[in-house]
Amino acid sequence: MASTIPLPRQQRLLQLLRLAEGELSAQELHQRLRDAQQGTGLATVYRGLKLLQQAGLVRCRKLSNGETVYAPLERDEHHLICVQCGSSQPLPLCPLGTSSLGLNAVLLQGFRPLFHTFEIHGLCSRCQQVEVGLDG
Amino acid sequence: MASTIPLPRQQRLLQLLRLAEGELSAQELHQRLRDAQQGTGLATVYRGLKLLQQAGLVRCRKLSNGETVYAPLERDEHHLICVQCGSSQPLPLCPLGTSSLGLNAVLLQGFRPLFHTFEIHGLCSRCQQVEVGLDG
DNA sequence: CCCAAGAGTGAGAATGGTTGTCGTTCTAGC
DNA sequence: GCTAGAACGACAACCATTCTCACTCTTGGG
Ligand SMILES: [Mn+2]
Ligand SMILES: [Mn+2]
Ligand SMILES: [Zn+2]
Ligand SMILES: [Zn+2]
């Protein structure tokens, strides 16, 4: 196997993600490396993130504004996402429980799962109020 | 309520989505309208899709290549998505069953759900083979 | 009818996150 | 040391989406 032991550059990315409060975008990671005098090309950050993803160490999701945010695989978080304003708040619920239940080999058909995304899209309470306000 | 009755322009978008085999991107919808001599500005397609989404008639998800694909809300489909090549194949499994089970008001806290996304990311069988091939 | 106000529209420019390019640098192995 | 190949970084290119703004359509009062 080639990519099971990430190189030091990628270890640093993983460390930053684990230290971070929430999810970080590639550009935020790039900035944090810069702040720590560990300048790195943005392309390298993207390359490292892709490898970490394929190694099963990092997961990601795409925000509605187009940017991708990354987090350690072990942090199993999901969100309520507003289709109006794009804000997202934590959703303390995972459809797979802790175990990867329900994912029997029959369904996967040779596919090797690494991580999952589960998000509920709708209207946040603030955007619902605005909507009502326009009517009255 | 203002937006519960979509305008004809948006009805046409919804119709195209319902007729389509799979999910369609905004640009594909724009093209189909053009093909049907119903020229429409691309901006209008995007505007209509956003309204249909907020009206609870259309759902969407972001592909790894950056484009967003749309489908009628009633079509409840999920996917296995390869982090290497970006391909996605159907996953005949929904974590919410048919009912919106598990989504009690306590968790939602005033958030009004419209649709959900659930995707499993990993390596498709083809990309696993390539990986092995490089080792040998 | 006529007109004005507001909503809706469309063509094209602007945006911006991500990916590609390619010359340079680093790392092993000899 | 020296060389082949991998890794890297600065910058250009890409492209889906959003923004802009002038134009058109609708509608209701005069
Ligand atoms: Mn989960
Ligand atoms: Mn579902
Ligand atoms: Zn909102
Ligand atoms: Zn693949």
Side-chain angles (χ1 to χ4, degrees), chain B residues 27 42-43 46 66-68:
Chain B
Q27 314 236 20
L42 187 54
Y46 279 107
E67 66 183 3
T68 307

Side-chain angles (χ1 to χ4, degrees), chain B residues 82 84-87 123-124 126-127:
Chain B
C82 182
Q84 173 92 42
C85 69
S87 71
L123 287 170
C124 72
R126 187 201 324 240
C127 287

Side-chain angles (χ1 to χ4, degrees), chain A residues 2-113:
Chain A
S3 59
T4 47
I5 305 174
L7 301 174
R9 205 65 81 98
Q10 292 153 42
Q11 287 287 7
R12 186 75 180 102
L13 286 174
L14 184 55
Q15 182 185 36
L16 282 175
L17 287 174
R18 285 182 170 149
L19 289 175
E21 283 290 317
E23 301 156 294
L24 294 179
S25 69
Q27 313 234 21
E28 285 167 337
L29 281 165
H30 179 242
Q31 185 59 50
R32 296 201 181 194
L33 287 172
R34 172 174 291 267
D35 292 347
Q37 259 77 46
Q38 302 185 241
T40 303
L42 187 53
T44 300
V45 173
Y46 279 107
R47 285 188 279 245
L49 286 170
K50 182 155 196 177
L51 291 173
L52 284 169
Q53 221 174 308
Q54 292 173 20
L57 295 168
V58 161
R59 64 174 176 78
C60 72
R61 69 180 176 113
K62 284 195 170 305
L63 303 184
S64 50
N65 67 13
E67 66 184 2
T68 307
V69 290
Y70 301 82
L73 196 78
E74 65 268 19
R75 210 182 292 162
D76 183 20
E77 295 166 344
H78 305 286
H79 303 81
L80 300 173
I81 301 169
C82 182
V83 297
Q84 174 90 41
C85 69
S87 70
S88 65
Q89 57 183 294
L91 170 64
L93 172 72
C94 174
L96 297 187
T98 294
S99 64
S100 294
L101 116 162
L103 290 187
N104 54 49
V106 177
L107 290 177
L108 293 178
Q109 286 290 35
F111 185 95
R112 172 145 57 104

